Amino acid sequence: MKKNILIKSIIIFLTLTIYSCENSKTEKTELVYENGNQKVEIQILNGNDYLEYDKLTETNFMLTNIEPNTFSVYGAGIRVLGTKNGTMKTEIKVPSNYLETDTLNVKVRFGIKPEENHEFNIPMKTAE
């Protein structure tokens, strides 16, 4: 009888442990959009997957199978520096208290079809 209770307790403990580990995963910011063979990837060159308020951050938009002349990017504080070899170089600097939420919405557009539009949501943090 004690053996059955011990086994049931271990099973419950393991189940709860596995469940809590699964739910505590940190959410990775999605900085890649793919549509068939076309791909847009945002590289934040400070090594983070977020931006900091009031801090100028260099970013690259890596384009795969997208004509750079048809590509455009929209968002608060974004300045395009130039495009070369499928890479659009930009700088992003968002003033603090500018956004309603701590998320920068970056919209990209390429081509003429609606599915060739995408919105990235990049987390914003206060510089420490």
Side-chain angles (χ1 to χ4, degrees), residues 82-89:
T83 303
K84 185 176 181 182
N85 298 327
T87 301
M88 178 180 279
K89 296 187 176 291

Side-chain angles (χ1 to χ4, degrees), residues 52-56 92-97 124-127:
E52 294 181 20
Y53 286 108
D54 298 315
K55 185 175 181 182
L56 187 65
I92 301 175
K93 183 177 180 182
V94 179
S96 57
N97 301 320
M124 297 292 304
K125 295 188 179 183
T126 304

Side-chain angles (χ1 to χ4, degrees), residues 48-107:
N48 299 322
D49 61 351
Y50 60 89
L51 298 170
E52 294 181 20
Y53 286 108
D54 298 315
K55 185 175 181 182
L56 187 65
T57 304
E58 292 184 18
T59 55
N60 288 337
F61 288 78
M62 308 297 292
L63 311 177
T64 304
N65 295 320
I66 297 172
E67 179 61 41
N69 295 336
T70 68
F71 183 80
S72 57
V73 59
Y74 306 94
I78 297 175
R79 187 175 89 160
V80 176
L81 302 176
T83 303
K84 185 176 181 182
N85 298 327
T87 301
M88 178 180 279
K89 296 187 176 291
T90 64
E91 292 178 333
I92 301 175
K93 183 177 180 182
V94 179
S96 57
N97 301 320
Y98 185 79
L99 303 173
E100 291 180 18
T101 64
D102 288 331
T103 302
L104 176 63
N105 299 321
V106 176
K107 297 176 183 177

Side-chain angles (χ1 to χ4, degrees), residues 2-127:
K2 284 186 176 183
K3 201 175 200 179
N4 285 340
I5 293 174
L6 179 62
I7 291 173
K8 287 179 182 179
S9 296
I10 291 173
I11 290 172
I12 290 172
F13 175 75
L14 289 174
T15 303
L16 291 174
T17 301
I18 291 170
Y19 180 76
S20 67
C21 289
E22 185 176 305
N23 286 337
S24 68
K25 291 179 186 174
T26 57
E27 296 227 1
K28 178 98 170 112
T29 303
E30 189 62 41
L31 298 177
V32 178
Y33 170 70
E34 292 185 68
N35 180 18
N37 68 344
Q38 296 178 313
K39 178 175 158 183
V40 178
E41 179 179 359
I42 300 175
Q43 294 178 340
I44 301 174
L45 300 182
N46 65 8
N48 299 322
D49 61 351
Y50 60 89
L51 298 170
E52 294 181 20
Y53 286 108
D54 298 315
K55 185 175 181 182
L56 187 65
T57 304
E58 292 184 18
T59 55
N60 288 337
F61 288 78
M62 308 297 292
L63 311 177
T64 304
N65 295 320
I66 297 172
E67 179 61 41
N69 295 336
T70 68
F71 183 80
S72 57
V73 59
Y74 306 94
I78 297 175
R79 187 175 89 160
V80 176
L81 302 176
T83 303
K84 185 176 181 182
N85 298 327
T87 301
M88 178 180 279
K89 296 187 176 291
T90 64
E91 292 178 333
I92 301 175
K93 183 177 180 182
V94 179
S96 57
N97 301 320
Y98 185 79
L99 303 173
E100 291 180 18
T101 64
D102 288 331
T103 302
L104 176 63
N105 299 321
V106 176
K107 297 176 183 177
V108 296
R109 181 183 178 109
F110 51 97
I112 57 173
K113 299 176 185 171
E115 60 269 13
E116 294 170 335
N117 299 317
H118 183 70
E119 183 173 312
F120 292 96
N121 297 307
I122 303 174
M124 297 292 304
K125 295 188 179 183
T126 304

